[in-house]
Amino acid sequence: MSGPAEVEDLLRDHAPRVLGALVRRYGDFDLCEDAVQEALLAAAQQWPGGGVPDHPRGWLLTVAARRYVDLVRSEAARRRREDAVALATPDSALLAPAADDAPGADRDDSLALLFLCCHPDLSPPSRIALTLRAVGGLTTAQIAAAFLVPEPTMAQRISRAKQTIKAGGWSLAQPEGEDRTARLAEVRHVLYLVFNEGYTASGGDDLTAPELSTEAIRLTRLLHGLLPEDAETAGLLALMLLTHARRPARTGPHGELIPLAEQDRGGWDAGLVEEGVALISGTLPRGRVGPYQLQAAIAAVHDEAPTAEATDWPQILALYDLLERTGPNPMITLNRAVAVAMVQGPRAGLDLLEELAADARLARNHRLLATRAHLLELLGDGGAAAVAYREAARRTTSAPERRHLTERARRLG
């Protein structure tokens, strides 16, 4: 007998492989995805009490294939679809084989499935939702809860994404050449967005949504396992590990935000720090350095410092200088301004923020004001810092961040 948590982990590991096999066999992503979700639900109900089959993936694939046939038969164009299924499905698969028989082939289509879910013609929210459901094995309700939206809204988002795939006639065929490079970058970006939403939730009463960060790390581990030589994927995984290691110390007993400089570093996950440092240390010397590797290197410098005061800010600034060269990004420039302030003084950092204030992408962003407030506080201008903290608090949609910023303003009087 297996516990529910053990079964859930097993199901989420197998979900993308089962869906990939089913889509490769039948081609209809929409119905195949529904069939796999029903098979996962059946397993979640049966396995904890009855035990995990000897060949869990084979069990899931068999059940999902049967569910797919049932779904096809329920469609209005039953006869036409049944003919297509009959041609694609071996007779033995329809004659009730043992549910835990191992499938004939052990092909893993997880990477192709990630490429499909992160197709550039889908909107970023659709890519995220579809990836979490199809590759992550999360239910629509779980995804909706994590992103603080109604379940019907998330269901519509997923449904539209599947219909777009169907209308476009997209398949599991993996892209090649430059298209593959671009699509892989899209996959990494989706995983990065999921992680960031989990590490600092964009809204709601909680600062973090750990289930999203954990899922992003799990999926990035999957991607790294499929592409072990891809340096940027390794860098992304290292960045997630080094950042997630601090999560236990980011909030106080009442859920209040604790800034990096004030965190109890003894509460950081030493195992994740060690793994992340080893991963990025082994990746950086291998070739061309990309933005995820550089962000991971910055995170490693922070994590290896025994105290906030011991942080090697000149090294961090040098890494940010390299990071800015990889492409314009106002958030990177914003973070670099802090490093400049720590090395050259708060006034130098504030001068950089003045340039950023003209960037429309940051015009209403509370982080620009919060950073300005922090640097003004370091400069000793408590009154101006308090004003900036209050304005930043008004602009954020995160309740813990709002409370933190308001408290900083109150302390400055």
Side-chain angles (χ1 to χ4, degrees):
M1 183 178 297
S2 301
E6 178 186 351
V7 167
E8 182 178 355
D9 291 342
L10 186 63
L11 292 177
R12 289 165 74 179
D13 283 340
H14 285 302
R17 300 175 185 180
V18 174
L19 178 56
L22 213 62
V23 172
R24 186 168 293 281
R25 178 186 295 178
Y26 298 120
D28 189 332
F29 181 90
D30 190 3
L31 288 183
C32 287
E33 202 275 332
D34 287 342
V36 171
Q37 286 292 322
E38 291 192 25
L40 294 173
L41 179 61
Q45 293 172 339
Q46 297 177 33
W47 291 4
V52 175
D54 292 337
H55 303 291
R57 193 189 311 178
W59 190 101
L60 288 168
L61 185 56
T62 299
V63 173
R66 292 175 185 164
R67 295 289 193 273
Y68 177 82
V69 173
D70 291 340
L71 290 170
V72 169
R73 286 173 175 163
S74 68
E75 294 291 315
R78 175 177 55 84
R79 294 183 184 280
R80 176 168 49 83
R81 290 174 180 261
E82 281 186 347
D83 288 343
V85 172
L87 291 174
T89 307
D91 290 341
S92 58
L94 299 176
L95 295 176
D100 62 349
D101 277 352
D106 199 30
R107 181 170 187 165
D108 188 349
D109 288 308
S110 300
L111 181 59
L113 193 60
L114 275 166
F115 281 137
L116 184 60
C117 292
C118 297
H119 196 283
D121 287 351
L122 294 173
S123 68
S126 295
R127 294 176 205 164
I128 291 171
L130 199 59
T131 298
L132 289 175
R133 180 172 159 106
V135 188
L138 297 181
T139 66
T140 303
Q142 288 173 319
I143 302 170
F147 282 92
L148 303 175
V149 300
E151 185 175 348
T153 300
M154 187 58 70
Q156 289 176 0
R157 188 176 297 172
I158 293 171
S159 177
R160 283 196 298 268
K162 293 195 291 185
Q163 289 304 312
T164 301
I165 290 175
K166 183 176 182 179
W170 305 338
S171 69
L172 278 182
Q174 292 195 29
E176 300 294 339
E178 292 184 2
D179 188 28
R180 175 187 169 89
T181 301
R183 292 277 287 279
L184 180 57
E186 294 288 352
V187 171
R188 286 193 295 255
H189 185 57
V190 164
L191 298 177
Y192 180 68
L193 291 176
V194 173
F195 178 82
N196 282 348
E197 180 63 25
Y199 191 69
T200 303
S202 57
D205 294 330
D206 297 322
L207 179 66
T208 64
E211 65 277 10
L212 284 180
S213 295
T214 302
E215 182 61 17
I217 291 173
R218 190 185 74 83
L219 291 177
T220 306
R221 284 190 188 279
L222 169 66
L223 184 61
H224 178 55
L226 295 170
L227 299 170
E229 298 305 314
D230 184 71
E232 271 292 80
T233 298
L236 176 59
L237 178 57
L239 172 61
M240 290 181 178
L241 296 173
L242 291 163
T243 306
H244 193 60
R246 306 175 202 145
R247 190 187 63 80
R250 288 189 72 222
T251 53
H254 305 293
E256 65 272 23
L257 185 155
I258 301 177
L260 177 62
E262 300 172 17
Q263 290 173 17
D264 175 10
R265 300 185 176 216
W268 291 357
D269 189 321
L272 290 182
V273 172
E274 182 179 0
E275 183 183 1
V277 168
L279 185 57
I280 191 58
S281 297
T283 301
L284 283 174
R286 281 168 32 194
R288 183 177 179 182
V289 176
Y292 290 123
Q293 297 169 71
L294 290 169
Q295 289 179 73
I298 291 169
V301 175
H302 279 297
D303 286 13
E304 290 186 301
T307 64
E309 294 73 22
T311 302
D312 188 346
W313 284 106
Q315 184 179 358
I316 289 177
L317 179 56
L319 289 168
Y320 270 121
D321 289 341
L322 292 174
L323 186 55
E324 275 200 317
R325 297 176 193 173
T326 64
N329 185 316
M331 293 306 297
I332 290 174
T333 304
L334 182 63
N335 290 328
R336 179 178 175 273
V338 176
V340 168
M342 300 305 292
V343 175
Q344 301 174 13
R347 175 53 62 190
L350 285 165
D351 290 341
L352 286 178
L353 295 188
E354 290 301 320
E355 299 174 17
L356 272 178
D359 193 316
R361 292 170 292 180
L362 285 179
R364 299 293 300 171
N365 194 299
H366 74 282
R367 298 194 189 284
L368 176 59
L369 279 166
T371 303
R372 184 170 185 274
H374 174 59
L375 298 189
L376 285 168
E377 186 177 358
L378 291 178
L379 193 64
D381 191 344
V387 171
Y389 276 131
R390 291 192 190 96
E391 181 59 27
R394 281 192 288 269
R395 294 188 185 185
T396 183
T397 56
S398 167
E401 286 190 327
R402 185 181 304 112
R403 290 192 293 268
H404 169 73
L405 294 168
T406 301
E407 175 61 17
R408 300 292 284 205
R410 188 195 65 79
R411 288 181 186 176
L412 293 171

